[in-house]
Amino acid sequence: FFLGIEVAMITGDAIDPGSSFGDLRSAHLVISTPEKIDSMTRRWTEKFFLLASVKLLLIDEAHHICNENRGWCLESIVTRMKTIHHAAQRIQVTQEDVRNSSYPATNPDAIHSNFRMVAVSATLPNIDQVADFLMANEAYDFDDTYRPVPLKKHVLSFGKIGNSGEWKFWSNLVRSRTPFVKYTECESSSSSCAFFPSTDFSLWTTCRTN
């Protein structure tokens, strides 16, 4: 609990898969994966009153909707939730219906109240298209001026990659780390930061540097 709010985390790692709906019933805030929400909402007519009581769907890393492996999952969730709440706005619900449902803790007013979807991403190129798909009234685009910590950008050229392969390219990049790392030095300390394609490459580079 935090400020009287009960939070539940629902993932595919749950020991008892059947406990997911119980956690959803008892929590004010649910943190989950797209795959788990997709699984829970597929037979939504059986849990209609429970799912219709969800009034805010926050989608993080919304750019994955363009991903060929995970995009379909996010699209399914959004489409399904829109269908659920479209139906909720049009049916007549009585307290007796709710009492005999899978979620008797709700009430007709909650079922008929407005539903919101919020999608956030740091790398979403087609923001207007995604906003249209979500049926959003507005889309907000924040540039670097909104960052609490200024971000400096530098573009360095390391020559042609050619047919040498990705590993060879990163290997050459590591050998050229001196001009690269100098731009990552923190002003407040002697620390520096660098990004590499894998943890193995990071470890290999660190050992070579030290």
Side-chain angles (χ1 to χ4, degrees):
F1 284 93
F2 181 71
L3 297 178
I5 298 176
E6 184 172 348
V7 181
M9 179 174 290
I10 303 176
T11 66
D13 299 328
I15 298 176
D16 179 14
S19 65
S20 299
F21 285 108
D23 292 337
L24 184 58
R25 289 189 191 96
S26 61
H28 301 97
L29 174 65
V30 174
I31 302 172
S32 187
T33 61
E35 289 77 14
K36 188 61 179 179
I37 295 297
D38 173 59
S39 174
M40 294 176 65
T41 57
R42 287 189 178 184
R43 300 172 66 176
W44 60 269
T45 55
E46 298 178 5
K47 307 290 182 181
F48 174 75
F49 287 97
L50 175 59
L51 296 173
S53 298
V54 176
K55 291 305 171 184
L56 173 63
L57 177 65
L58 174 59
I59 304 172
D60 192 16
E61 306 289 348
H63 53 270
H64 284 304
I65 204 167
C66 305
N67 186 283
E68 61 181 10
N69 295 319
R70 303 188 73 188
W72 65 268
C73 188
L74 285 175
E75 286 189 29
S76 298
I77 294 170
V78 170
T79 302
R80 210 169 288 140
M81 292 302 291
K82 286 195 296 186
T83 301
I84 291 171
H85 287 278
H86 183 77
Q89 295 293 326
R90 283 159 176 74
I91 64 171
Q92 296 295 325
V93 180
T94 65
Q95 194 62 51
E96 184 69 19
D97 294 330
V98 173
R99 192 161 39 244
N100 296 327
S101 72
S102 60
Y103 187 47
T106 190
N107 60 74
D109 291 336
I111 298 297
H112 292 140
S113 61
N114 291 331
F115 168 70
R116 294 184 297 158
M117 279 189 287
V118 179
V120 295
S121 171
T123 57
L124 190 62
N126 55 335
I127 184 172
D128 292 330
Q129 290 178 315
V130 174
D132 288 341
F133 174 62
L134 296 177
M135 301 175 66
N137 294 328
E138 292 183 83
Y140 300 96
D141 185 8
F142 300 98
D143 57 25
D144 293 346
T145 60
Y146 289 88
R147 291 182 60 89
V149 178
L151 178 66
K152 296 180 181 179
K153 299 178 181 179
H154 303 275
V155 179
L156 304 178
S157 174
F158 292 93
K160 183 180 179 181
I161 299 177
N163 298 322
S164 57
E166 184 178 356
W167 189 91
K168 185 66 174 177
F169 167 72
W170 283 102
S171 178
N172 292 335
L173 185 62
V174 170
R175 293 191 185 95
S176 305
R177 62 184 177 275
T178 301
F180 174 68
V181 172
K182 77 175 183 179
Y183 288 111
T184 65
E185 295 177 352
C186 302
E187 296 179 0
S188 59
S189 68
S190 58
S191 302
S192 61
C193 310
F195 297 93
F196 296 96
S198 69
T199 53
D200 290 340
F201 231 114
S202 301
L203 178 61
W204 180 73
T205 306
T206 303
C207 292
R208 285 173 54 89
T209 303
N210 295 335

